[in-house]
Amino acid sequence: MVTTFSVLLPVLSASALAADLTVGFSQIGSESGWRTSETESIKAEAERRGYDLKFSDAQQKQENQIKAVRSFIAQGVDGILLAPVVETGWDQVLKEAQRANIPVVLIDRGVAADPSLYLTKVASDFKEEGALAASWLAAQTNGRCNIVELQGSVGSSAAIDRKTGFDSVISNFPNMTIIRSQSGNFTRAGGKEVMESFLKAEGGAKNICALFAHNDDMALGAILAMKEAGIKPSKDIIVVSIDAVPDIFKAMADGEANATIELNPHLGGPAFDAILASQKGESVDKWIKANGPLYLPDTAAAEYAKRK
Ligand code: AHR
């Protein structure tokens, strides 16, 4: 079963394909399967359009992203794609890009800076994702559930907003409680390590009804931790996460995970179109939303076959 709420990506125009752009792309790193797909998709879209994409991998460090943006400005690129690792600390470098008349498109994550400092944000609504996960879990458990939470990277908009959305829904259910919550840095290894510590602290699965992981990779690491501890993931502990990477569909098809919410990795097209629109003096929405549906095990094998 698939529950869709909105996909509002703009359609690629013919004139967009004809233009010639040089674009800098400061990517966070490669912490998850989703991130790798996003990088590949944006590079492929640039190649398809014949653009010159200057790619920089920040290895999870904001200082590397700031250096990359400054280098793109010095090279006089036509636009910059920035996937900000954390929410705060961007004002200065965004002002520098603005002074140089170079539009910055935020990709996937948001910043706390004034929206006038960037052209647009092409991203999912992370609060909606967290709220959807919580609503689904509330329905599954009749509003009674002790939850352990694996948070994404500290300070990232993805972690902050997914938690806010999830918490806002469970606050309506007095018997839904987060009993443990810690960051697993959006990585499989982090998810496994933190889940091991949750299981140790709780003396196994008996007091845990569900795991909410801010991404699939952490859920997959946690599933491994459960199996190593003799716990049946999805049966002893419900597993709900976000991203919809191929491996989570395999886990659902194998009966080891219960639900995932899709995060669209194909953000390059709308981001490049926004830069072109701004070059033509056209107005661009401040937030181009890209939310995806919630998937359940009944379609997992077919989805895995399509995506692996
Ligand atoms: O910002 C989006 C998150 O970052 C994805 O959910 C996660 O997998 C990633 O690395």
Side-chain angles (χ1 to χ4, degrees), residues 31-32 34-35 108-109 126 158 162 186 214-215 243 263:
E31 69 281 1
S32 66
W34 183 87
R35 182 70 53 198
D108 155 51
R109 293 188 188 168
F126 295 135
R162 283 174 182 163
F186 281 130
H214 288 196
N215 80 345
D243 276 357
L263 179 65

Side-chain angles (χ1 to χ4, degrees), residues 45-57:
E45 182 62 20
E47 198 177 328
R48 193 177 77 79
R49 293 174 179 225
Y51 295 171
D52 179 9
L53 188 73
K54 299 185 180 303
F55 180 76
S56 172
D57 178 339

Side-chain angles (χ1 to χ4, degrees), residues 155-167:
S156 68
S157 66
I160 295 166
D161 290 351
R162 283 174 182 163
K163 177 157 190 55
T164 303
F166 190 87
D167 290 355

Side-chain angles (χ1 to χ4, degrees), residues 5-9 121-125 129 262-267 270 287-293:
F5 41 96
S6 70
V7 177
L8 298 173
L9 299 182
K121 175 173 82 166
V122 181
S124 163
D125 184 331
E129 293 173 346
E262 184 167 48
L263 179 65
N264 186 340
H266 306 299
L267 307 177
W287 186 358
I288 299 168
K289 279 200 196 185
N291 279 72

